[in-house]
Amino acid sequence: SVVTSNENSAYRAVTYLLEHGHRKIGYICGETVIRNFPLRERGYVRALREYGLIASPAFRVTVGTTVGSSYASMRAWLEHHPQLPTAFFAENDIMALGCMRALSEYGVEIPNEVSMFGFDDLNFASIANPPLTTMRVPNRAMGELAVKALIESVRQPTDYSRVTHLSTTLVERQSVRTIET
């Protein structure tokens, strides 16, 4: 199989936030858990731990997995959580974009009050307001490698399997600010 290096990519994303001065970093997770999400959370927790921090349950927001449902979930969360982190890491761009809209409508300025970091680099990430900092997943390369591996396994069968992990690329846009300490 060919997969994204989810844990290490999330670790790099959260480390980026930490290097920009953020120490209160929230986690936006999907109410529907897909295979990649627990790996991304492990990377988030590992990065915090390396900086001597722990993931605060107060800044964990469980949202729907569509733009509309993540927006609605974040709006509901904001009604009961007056204290915000300085940044959020979201399991994917769809959730990040819905949450950004809810935060903005709630009067929270991104990135001046809360920074946002997504994952996937969907087309909409570059045109969000502000454009979303994210991790780009090499989808085309994943598909090409998967087809090549399939053809190879048909031509030369083996009694073992292999997993190829592809790195992501950090795409720096305007949704993260630097906190001067």
Side-chain angles (χ1 to χ4, degrees), residues 85 109 119 150:
E109 290 184 38
F119 201 107
L150 179 61

Side-chain angles (χ1 to χ4, degrees), residues 44-167:
Y44 161 80
V45 169
R46 191 176 90 207
L48 291 176
R49 192 176 321 124
E50 285 189 13
Y51 273 74
L53 304 169
I54 59 168
S56 172
F59 297 141
R60 181 184 179 88
V61 186
T62 302
V63 301
T65 54
T66 66
V67 172
S69 62
S70 61
Y71 162 80
S73 299
M74 178 56 87
R75 285 291 301 196
W77 185 85
L78 288 166
E79 294 297 326
H80 299 89
H81 295 83
Q83 186 180 17
L84 293 170
T86 62
F88 277 111
F89 170 72
E91 288 179 331
N92 69 26
D93 288 351
I94 291 172
M95 289 183 257
L97 294 169
C99 290
M100 284 173 64
R101 179 175 161 224
L103 287 161
S104 177
E105 287 183 8
Y106 202 75
V108 176
E109 290 184 38
I110 298 171
N112 295 335
E113 294 176 74
V114 174
S115 292
M116 185 67 72
F117 202 114
F119 201 107
D120 290 328
D121 193 28
L122 298 179
N123 291 335
F124 295 109
S126 66
I127 62 170
N129 186 19
L132 180 63
T133 298
T134 186
M135 298 303 285
R136 179 177 295 138
V137 175
N139 291 318
R140 182 177 182 89
M142 288 175 68
E144 290 171 357
L145 286 171
V147 169
K148 287 178 185 176
L150 179 61
I151 291 169
E152 182 181 320
S153 70
V154 170
R155 288 184 179 156
Q156 297 178 358
T158 63
D159 60 350
Y160 60 86
S161 63
R162 72 176 172 197
V163 177
T164 302
H165 289 262
L166 294 184
S167 297

Side-chain angles (χ1 to χ4, degrees), residues 10-20 25 43 47-48 50-51:
Y11 170 86
R12 285 176 46 225
V14 176
T15 299
Y16 175 88
L17 291 169
L18 291 160
E19 289 171 349
H20 282 74
I25 302 173
L48 291 176
E50 285 189 13
Y51 273 74

